[in-house]
Amino acid sequence: MTAEIAVIGAGLCGNLLAILLARQGLKVTVFDRGPPPDAPEPAAGRSINLALAARGIRALEQAGVFTDIEPLLLPMAGRIVHEPGGDVRFLPYGQRRNERIWSVSRSALNRCLWEIARDRFAVDYRFTHDCIHFDAASLTATLRSDDGELAVRAGLLLAADGAGSTIRRSLEQGGRLSASEELLDHGYKELLIPADAAGEFALDPGGLHIWPRGGFMLIALPNLDRSFTATLFLAHRGQAGFESVTTDQVIGFFRDNFNDALPLLPQLQQEFAARPTGTLGTVHCEPWGHRPEPDDGRRALLIGDAAHAIVPFHGQGMNAAFEDCAEFDRLIATQGPDWNAVVPQFEAVRRDNTRAIARMALENYAEMRDTVRDPAFERRAELAFELERLFPGRFIPRYSMVMFHPEIGYAEAERRGHIQAGILAEALAAGEPAAALRLAAQLVATRLPA
Amino acid sequence: MTAEIAVIGAGLCGNLLAILLARQGLKVTVFDRGPPPDAPEPAAGRSINLALAARGIRALEQAGVFTDIEPLLLPMAGRIVHEPGGDVRFLPYGQRRNERIWSVSRSALNRCLWEIARDRFAVDYRFTHDCIHFDAASLTATLRSDDGELAVRAGLLLAADGAGSTIRRSLEQGGRLSASEELLDHGYKELLIPADAAGEFALDPGGLHIWPRGGFMLIALPNLDRSFTATLFLAHRGQAGFESVTTDQVIGFFRDNFNDALPLLPQLQQEFAARPTGTLGTVHCEPWGHRPEPDDGRRALLIGDAAHAIVPFHGQGMNAAFEDCAEFDRLIATQGPDWNAVVPQFEAVRRDNTRAIARMALENYAEMRDTVRDPAFERRAELAFELERLFPGRFIPRYSMVMFHPEIGYAEAERRGHIQAGILAEALAAGEPAAALRLAAQLVATRLPA
């Protein structure tokens, strides 16, 4: 079949893209290998809830669907850190009004976007169509369904088929694209903290719970049904790793390391045995845009995780993918549906930004599992907040730039973050708080543009 | 007496300044001609409630007092426009989450700031001390109280004594300063809309009510006690002016022009007769900073309304004064209490910005009393919102920049506002909405920096 626009992948990125493109009057067909999102169980091996932050919200607002999504969100105002001894500390994400991130169920969000695309914008969906190959020369996707194989050509084919993108791998095998998939030596496993006997949240639902333990960590995000999804991040190998912690040992491992979480995980052993261990990694590839031979004006474009999957430790994977969608929409609004112009411009705008968030997401893993335990982390965070009060819009903690300031691109956030880290380090070396603040203020005035 | 820092005027600006300076470890004495703010009646002839917006909130956050203020605030999400025929329309101020402004009682806010300054920061207050003269050569203020006259010299004297500043006028008379006070040919009178018989708000409290009538208007802002303060803006002279509308005629005037408001104003005639008619104007003066002769290192500085009073139609007078305070605090944090450095830098940073808001506030009067009635106003506002969705952080309606984007200075908001107004005008001339949007998007891409 020939489509005006074909989107491969009815995940978060594909569905938001479909809405945005349909809003611009374009005809969109979306293909996905899975069943429709109203099937009872979320796909295994993918994270169950996610953190939505300002970049994602901004893209949803651009699509005019944020008010539809809002009822699915649970606010998290900071990190709730569980010490090994059982002490609990609250570290706010930001100090300004409404600086929160939002826990959201991947499946509920995805279903909502799909329903809007289908019902409000008449997007055509073809489920249980598995993309098994992509021919680089003809830009033709081969999709397998119960009806056999379908060859799909489109004026624009958008590969929103995720970190394990078949389209990316086909292009790589065809020598059209160079890619790196850097797997983290840590994996993850998801566990359920059900609501308590009274039907209430078993933990404070107002934050993201972390049990940082240096080499590994447990986290938990609240769900609308008053459960939490906990995620254990552990090395694949080594002593405190998935290869060593067997199903028999997991209770003891939790008792030793996450003792206060143990009573909240009634199915720990069963879940640990039954749930797959997820892998985490960073995907880089180039180029994202592809033209057929001979060039007939059609284009293919990798987008979202398919183009630049990242590790989850900054909670920005979905947000970055939604920002991709918003940027693509903006380029079409400006250029019209001129794929020859829009596709390379998209790549030019997004490449540095997605590279930057890939690096920052990796750095944040160390911060989450380790640094938040360090008293120096709190001193640095306090000085950073004080500088933000004094120099609003000029000194903004890097975490805040990434999470709460979508007007600052990822690359710019990383660049300013480096300057700020230098200021904080130099100032804190000056000793007592008043001296540190005075020096820091002088350094801000010198090094950060007004 | 000799003070480290003397602040003349315990109004909003003076009290916030006192808190910020005391937080930095400086010793502050505040003088005011009136009684302490816990006296029962607010001063006559000054606006009873005000609109607090993001710039003011940011300054209150910088001072660490916003959480104290928050309980005093009532959110207003847009303009509630009352047509002559009685139709009511809601025009939102912004389209993004939390883009609201806040109605606040001047006296309640001022009292709260004064109590914080006094109790939390040990600021020294001298009430019923009326500044009657300021000697420019020696930078000495003469204050009259029941105990006679007091000569005040200070390392830094801050003139926060409002639009009618005695200090500014003394400096002007002494030839040290050139000033212009441009009175508007319109004045205002405040009227009370009490809570209804059930004790509830008589109008929707979620917005700022406007009855725009071209040459004049009525507005109303909600109060915590479920009343509204209504303000009638009218020319001083002419047929629909304060000189023509006598107390006998005011009921008829309201029946002709604000018929739906008439039943809400049970004391209209009495209040109209009893309340003073306020004047409105714009004050410019130069310079704001002054040194004694011979120079002994002391300085005086005009700040807030004393330096740059503006008309109230953008709801930015208090916000601009608070921004002054925050900027002054920032300069001290960076430079230390080096008045010779801080005072001229303050003037350099704030002059263009306060000039810009003075102009924008005047322009907004026409918008409030007239343009909001124009269908073209709504078309322009809708296109502007659509462009903001597509180009977040790049195209921001000017009203939003001023009210919700304190990271953009007033001067920059005015500059970008001019470019944007051109884009909107050209695009709307292109005709039907889709064509207008496409052209506007192209113009944004060309004319506004990414």
Side-chain angles (χ1 to χ4, degrees), chain A residues 1 28 50 57 82 90 101 128 135 146 175 250 255 265 306 313 322 335 340 343 394 406 419 426 428 443:
Chain A
M1 70 175 279
V28 183
L50 300 161
I57 290 174
H82 297 253
F90 178 74
I101 62 176
T128 58
D135 183 68
D146 289 346
V250 68
R255 191 176 299 120
L265 293 157
F313 305 109
F322 281 2
Q335 312 282 337
N340 190 38
V343 166
R394 192 167 172 186
I419 299 172
E426 281 183 50
L428 286 167
L443 295 176

Side-chain angles (χ1 to χ4, degrees), chain B residues 10-12 15 19 36-43 46-50 52 60 65 68-74 103-116 222-225 318 322:
Chain B
L12 296 168
N15 286 329
I19 292 170
D38 50 359
E41 279 296 291
R46 307 178 67 192
S47 64
I48 291 171
N49 53 17
L50 300 161
L52 180 68
L60 294 168
V65 302
D68 300 279
I69 303 304
E70 235 173 339
L72 306 177
L73 307 180
L74 283 163
S103 179
V104 64
S105 150
R106 177 196 288 272
S107 59
L109 175 55
N110 204 35
R111 183 173 172 164
C112 183
L113 291 176
W114 162 62
E115 287 174 350
I116 292 169
N223 298 313
L224 279 183
D225 67 1
M318 168 179 65
F322 281 1

Side-chain angles (χ1 to χ4, degrees), chain B residues 242-320:
Chain B
F242 282 111
E243 72 169 12
S244 308
V245 180
T246 64
T247 303
D248 287 348
Q249 293 166 339
V250 67
I251 302 281
F253 181 76
F254 269 69
R255 189 175 300 119
D256 292 347
N257 294 292
F258 311 115
N259 194 38
D260 58 335
L262 193 52
L264 311 176
L265 293 159
Q267 302 290 316
L268 174 57
Q269 205 161 17
Q270 297 90 315
E271 286 173 349
F272 193 84
R275 299 266 171 98
T277 300
T279 56
L280 301 165
T282 304
V283 172
H284 294 300
C285 70
E286 198 180 350
W288 296 339
H290 296 268
R291 54 180 67 194
E293 287 172 5
D295 189 351
D296 57 7
R298 293 180 302 120
R299 293 291 180 270
L301 176 66
L302 297 160
I303 192 163
D305 276 2
H308 50 69
I310 61 178
V311 296
F313 305 109
H314 218 309
Q316 283 289 311
M318 168 179 65
N319 291 285

Side-chain angles (χ1 to χ4, degrees), chain A residues 61 96 330 389-390 392, chain B residues 58 61-62 96 330 390 392:
Chain A
E61 286 178 332
R96 311 190 69 83
R330 189 158 36 243
R389 269 200 292 279
L390 276 170
Chain B
R58 187 174 259 207
E61 286 178 331
Q62 186 169 322
R96 311 189 69 82
R330 189 159 34 243
L390 275 171

Side-chain angles (χ1 to χ4, degrees), chain B residues 388-408:
Chain B
E388 187 182 26
R389 269 201 293 277
L390 275 171
F391 299 95
R394 192 166 173 187
F395 188 106
I396 307 170
R398 191 179 87 176
Y399 184 87
S400 297
M401 284 194 276
V402 171
M403 302 310 268
F404 309 127
H405 287 269
E407 75 281 5
I408 301 172

Side-chain angles (χ1 to χ4, degrees), chain A residues 23 57-58 61-62 66 96-98 329-330 332-334 336 386 389-393 438 441-442 445, chain B residues 23 57-58 61-62 66 96-98 329-330 332-334 336 386 389-393 438 441-442 445:
Chain A
R23 261 174 67 100
I57 290 174
R58 187 173 259 208
E61 286 178 332
Q62 186 170 321
F66 180 62
R96 311 190 69 83
R97 283 161 305 137
N98 309 313
D329 179 48
R330 189 158 36 243
I332 299 172
T334 315
E386 185 66 29
R389 269 200 292 279
L390 276 170
F391 299 95
R438 178 64 46 84
Q442 284 163 5
Chain B
R23 260 175 67 100
I57 289 174
R58 187 174 259 207
E61 286 178 331
Q62 186 169 322
F66 181 62
R96 311 189 69 82
R97 281 161 306 137
N98 310 311
D329 178 48
R330 189 159 34 243
I332 299 173
T334 314
E386 184 66 28
R389 269 201 293 277
L390 275 171
F391 299 95
R438 177 64 47 86
Q442 284 162 4

